[in-house]
């Protein structure tokens, strides 16, 4: 080998150029453009067959749920059996998140190299925080203007006790994000997230209680009573189930960037992760073909477990209207302008 260091990113760029030249030499045959409306419709249905099947599955799930509500009298434990296919579908998707995200990020960053990664990371950082901030602003404006919760007041019963027991501190929530960004255990971050638990710390105070005494000549008796009140909430380390996405993303970006600096030896790992990524994508495609059955199962069991479907659908309709308006503003107005700004000002 020569004294000049070869980076994995340089090798991958050469491989991409070779693939481009091969694609130009052997272009794929393009399908002829359809001439009639029927042919156009058939082509779009063929290209989006999974989407069509999903929409049909939602309708079948609602219909099946309403039919079972009207003609059966299942107990709550029995109703849950209808959601087993949907539960298996969600478990399969959650199972494939880790290998797909990790291999995609590592191979992508290793292919870009450290210098280009900085530019891409800066764009992604600005895009993520700008879009998230604007989404929060749009959501707050729409919620305070349309007030979907007030329009559906009384349609859905909310258990207030579960919210009263939760004590949230903004500073602790932000610090928990930083803690999850740098997990203390690589294996633990795949199934657990750090979460601060706030426990009340009590203190005793003495109060005076004036009581009327009907058995003596005195008009009242002053008695001291000791009570406990909450002094402050103490932070206790805790955890909750779930994938630590922030820690995983930071680790994959760092690992991919360092892998690109190793040189030609790092290509072995890059090729291995590329193959693992392709296998994960193929498995997800197989799982997605089962998604209509899983979605129908989830919708069916949701309708079965509703106390009042009419009231719930009425409540959801106001919520969906608010969401669609927000998505329209975010997707058709803000995001295109943000992409144009990043493309022009961060070349």
């Amino acid at each position: 080998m020569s004294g000049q260091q070869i980076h994995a990113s340089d090798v991958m760029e050469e491989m991409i150029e070779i693939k481009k030249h091969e694609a130009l030499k052997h272009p794929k045959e393009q399908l002829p453009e359809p001439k009639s409306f029927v042919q156009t419709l058939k082509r779009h249905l063929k290209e989006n067959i999974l989407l069509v099947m999903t929409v049909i599955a939602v309708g079948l799930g609602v219909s099946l749920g309403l039919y079972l509500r009207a003609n059966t009298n299942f107990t709550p434990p029995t109703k849950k059996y209808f959601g087993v296919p949907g539960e298996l579908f969600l478990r399969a998707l959650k199972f494939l998140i880790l290998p797909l995200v990790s291999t995609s990020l590592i191979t992508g960053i290793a292919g870009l190299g450290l210098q280009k990664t900085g530019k891409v990371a800066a764009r992604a950082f600005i895009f993520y925080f700008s879009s998230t901030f604007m989404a929060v602003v749009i959501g707050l404006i729409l919620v305070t203007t349309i007030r979907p919760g007030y329009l559906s007041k009384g349609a859905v019963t909310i258990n207030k006790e579960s919210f009263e027991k939760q004590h949230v501190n903004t500073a602790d929530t932000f610090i928990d994000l930083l803690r999850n960004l740098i997990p203390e255990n690589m294996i633990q971050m795949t199934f657990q997230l750090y979460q601060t638990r706030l426990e009340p710390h009590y203190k005793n105070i003495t109060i005076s209680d004036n009581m009327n005494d009907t058995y003596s000549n005195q008009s009242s008796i002053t008695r001291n009573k000791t009570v406990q009140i909450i002094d402050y909430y103490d932070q206790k380390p805790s955890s909750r189930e779930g994938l630590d996405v922030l820690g995983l993303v930071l680790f994959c970006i760092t690992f991919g960037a360092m892998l690109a600096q190793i040189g030609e030896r790092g290509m072995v790992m890059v090729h291995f992760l590329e193959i693992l990524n392709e296998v994960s994508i193929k498995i997800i495609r197989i799982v997605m073909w089962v998604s209509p059955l899983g979605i129908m199962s989830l919708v069916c069991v949701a309708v079965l477990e509703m106390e009042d479907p009419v009231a719930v659908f009425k409540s959801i309709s106001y919520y969906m209207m608010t969401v669609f308006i927000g998505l329209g503003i975010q997707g058709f107005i803000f995001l295109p302008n943000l992409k144009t700004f990043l493309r022009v000002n961060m070349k």
Side-chain angles (χ1 to χ4, degrees):
M1 292 181 63
S2 59
Q4 186 178 5
Q5 186 179 5
I6 301 175
H7 296 289
S9 58
D10 299 331
V11 179
M12 292 195 71
E13 287 181 0
E14 293 180 2
M15 292 174 61
I16 293 172
E17 291 296 329
I18 293 173
K19 290 181 179 180
K20 287 182 179 180
H21 288 300
E22 291 179 352
L24 292 174
K25 291 180 180 178
H26 305 284
K28 295 182 179 180
E29 296 182 0
Q30 296 183 351
L31 297 175
E33 291 292 331
K35 297 180 180 179
S36 63
F37 173 76
V38 178
Q39 292 179 346
T40 305
L41 182 61
K42 287 182 178 179
R43 189 190 70 176
H44 285 299
L45 288 176
K46 187 176 180 180
E47 292 175 352
N48 301 280
I49 185 64
L50 187 59
L51 176 62
V52 175
M53 292 173 61
T54 304
V55 174
I56 295 174
V58 173
L60 290 176
V62 174
S63 303
L64 181 60
L66 294 175
Y67 175 80
L68 292 175
R69 284 180 62 91
N71 297 277
T72 60
N73 190 19
F74 293 127
T75 59
T78 306
K79 293 177 182 178
K80 294 185 181 296
Y81 292 135
F82 290 93
V84 172
E87 182 184 355
L88 296 178
F89 167 68
L90 293 179
R91 290 171 68 90
L93 288 181
K94 292 177 181 178
F95 175 78
L96 293 168
I97 287 176
L98 180 61
L100 182 65
V101 173
S102 57
T103 54
S104 299
L105 282 173
I106 293 175
T107 54
I109 297 300
L112 288 173
L114 194 60
Q115 186 175 6
K116 293 182 180 180
T117 301
K119 296 180 180 179
V120 174
R123 289 183 181 180
F125 181 84
I126 295 174
F127 180 82
Y128 175 78
F129 280 96
S130 300
S131 59
T132 304
F133 175 77
M134 197 62 190
V136 172
V137 173
I138 294 173
L140 290 174
I141 293 174
L142 291 177
V143 167
T144 54
T145 304
I146 301 176
R147 301 174 70 187
Y150 179 79
L151 294 175
S152 58
K153 188 177 181 181
V156 180
T157 304
I158 300 176
N159 186 9
K160 296 182 179 180
E161 294 182 358
S162 60
F163 291 97
E164 291 174 354
K165 293 180 180 179
Q166 296 179 0
H167 299 279
V168 181
N169 190 315
T170 305
D172 291 328
T173 303
F174 178 74
I175 295 174
D176 284 347
L177 290 176
L178 299 179
R179 292 192 179 106
N180 287 320
L181 193 63
I182 307 177
E184 60 182 7
N185 191 306
M186 184 185 299
I187 306 299
Q188 186 181 12
M189 77 174 180
T190 60
F191 61 89
Q192 253 183 14
L193 292 92
Y194 186 93
Q195 185 179 31
T196 300
R197 186 180 74 254
L198 299 179
E199 291 186 354
H201 183 273
Y202 297 93
K203 70 175 182 179
N204 297 327
I205 62 171
T206 303
I207 60 174
S208 299
D209 187 12
N210 294 326
M211 300 179 62
N212 294 327
D213 190 356
T214 58
Y215 299 101
S216 64
N217 296 328
Q218 297 179 355
S219 59
S220 64
I221 297 176
T222 301
R223 295 179 179 177
N224 294 328
K225 184 169 61 174
T226 302
V227 297
Q228 285 187 334
I229 63 171
I230 298 176
D231 188 14
Y232 59 89
Y233 286 94
D234 194 13
Q235 297 97 338
K236 299 291 183 180
S238 181
S239 61
R240 60 184 176 90
E241 293 184 358
L243 176 65
D244 186 0
V245 179
L246 288 176
L248 178 65
V249 169
L250 180 62
F251 169 76
C252 292
I253 291 176
T254 307
F255 188 85
M258 296 302 103
L259 192 62
Q261 297 301 305
I262 292 178
E264 192 175 1
R265 294 176 300 166
M267 290 304 300
V268 178
M269 177 65 73
V270 173
H271 287 317
F272 169 75
L273 293 174
E274 283 181 342
I275 295 172
L276 183 59
N277 183 37
E278 291 180 7
V279 172
S280 301
I281 292 174
K282 290 182 180 294
I283 297 175
I284 282 185
R285 286 175 181 171
I286 296 174
V287 173
M288 291 306 298
W289 281 107
V290 193
S291 62
L293 177 62
I295 291 172
M296 184 181 70
S297 170
L298 293 172
V299 173
C300 176
V301 73
V303 174
L304 276 175
E305 293 179 343
M306 289 179 184
E307 295 182 1
D308 187 357
V310 177
V312 173
F313 286 135
K314 180 182 177 182
S315 175
I316 292 176
S317 63
Y318 295 125
Y319 169 75
M320 290 177 61
M321 179 184 67
T322 307
V323 171
F324 284 141
I325 295 175
L327 291 176
I329 298 174
Q330 179 85 347
F332 295 105
I333 298 177
F334 177 73
L335 290 182
N337 293 326
L338 179 60
K339 290 180 181 178
T340 303
F341 172 80
L342 294 176
R343 190 181 301 113
V344 172
N345 295 278
M346 298 189 66
K347 292 183 179 180

